[in-house]
Amino acid sequence: MLIKINMPDLVLDIDTAVPLGLIINELLTNSFKYASVKNKTGSINIELVEGVKGNYTLIFVDNGPGIDESINFDTAITLGLRLIKGLAAQLYGEAKYHFDNGSCFTITFKDTATRKIED
């Protein structure tokens, strides 16, 4: 499996870093479990983009077969997908999924200081 990571050198507070780490862990676990296809080198790209102060976007892409077409990401009841969506919501963001030659997850979120301003 080839993994490419593109993240700026930044420091996130613990209340942001832990849920974000759990999201990345779940996505990596799913990619290793489901995206590996025989006779095909798997790849994962992880990118973190810093937007306007305190707003971020995590982009996670693998080249696997994607989520089964019978599963709607927005209404999925599987524990892993609910965890990803719930943690994104905890960070005042959202998780989106689409298929483009592999699974593409986009997670938007805010750091703690920005979340406190919006409370």
Side-chain angles (χ1 to χ4, degrees):
M1 181 80 62
L2 174 65
I3 301 175
K4 292 171 38 178
I5 301 172
N6 182 17
M7 292 190 182
D9 187 18
L10 60 93
V11 176
L12 294 172
D13 59 273
I14 191 78
D15 292 328
T16 303
V18 170
L20 182 61
L22 291 170
I23 290 170
I24 293 170
N25 182 69
E26 182 63 27
L27 291 169
L28 281 169
T29 300
N30 287 344
S31 290
F32 282 114
K33 188 173 180 180
Y34 300 112
S36 298
V37 180
K38 283 187 177 181
N39 302 323
K40 182 178 179 183
T41 301
S43 69
I44 297 172
N45 292 317
I46 305 170
E47 182 176 5
L48 181 63
V49 179
E50 187 172 8
V52 179
K53 181 71 176 129
N55 291 275
Y56 301 90
T57 302
L58 174 71
I59 302 162
F60 186 99
V61 179
D62 70 37
N63 67 341
I67 295 176
D68 188 290
E69 291 180 10
S70 66
I71 297 174
N72 180 334
F73 179 74
D74 294 325
T75 59
I77 59 171
T78 63
L79 180 60
L81 295 179
R82 286 180 48 212
L83 179 67
I84 292 167
K85 292 185 298 184
L87 289 168
Q90 180 181 323
L91 295 172
Y92 286 43
E94 66 179 331
K96 294 184 178 181
Y97 169 83
H98 73 277
F99 182 83
D100 184 13
N101 294 317
S103 290
C104 303
F105 291 88
T106 303
I107 315 293
T108 57
F109 65 96
K110 302 173 186 301
D111 63 19
T112 298
T114 306
R115 293 193 304 268
K116 285 183 180 180
I117 291 170
E118 295 185 8
D119 269 344

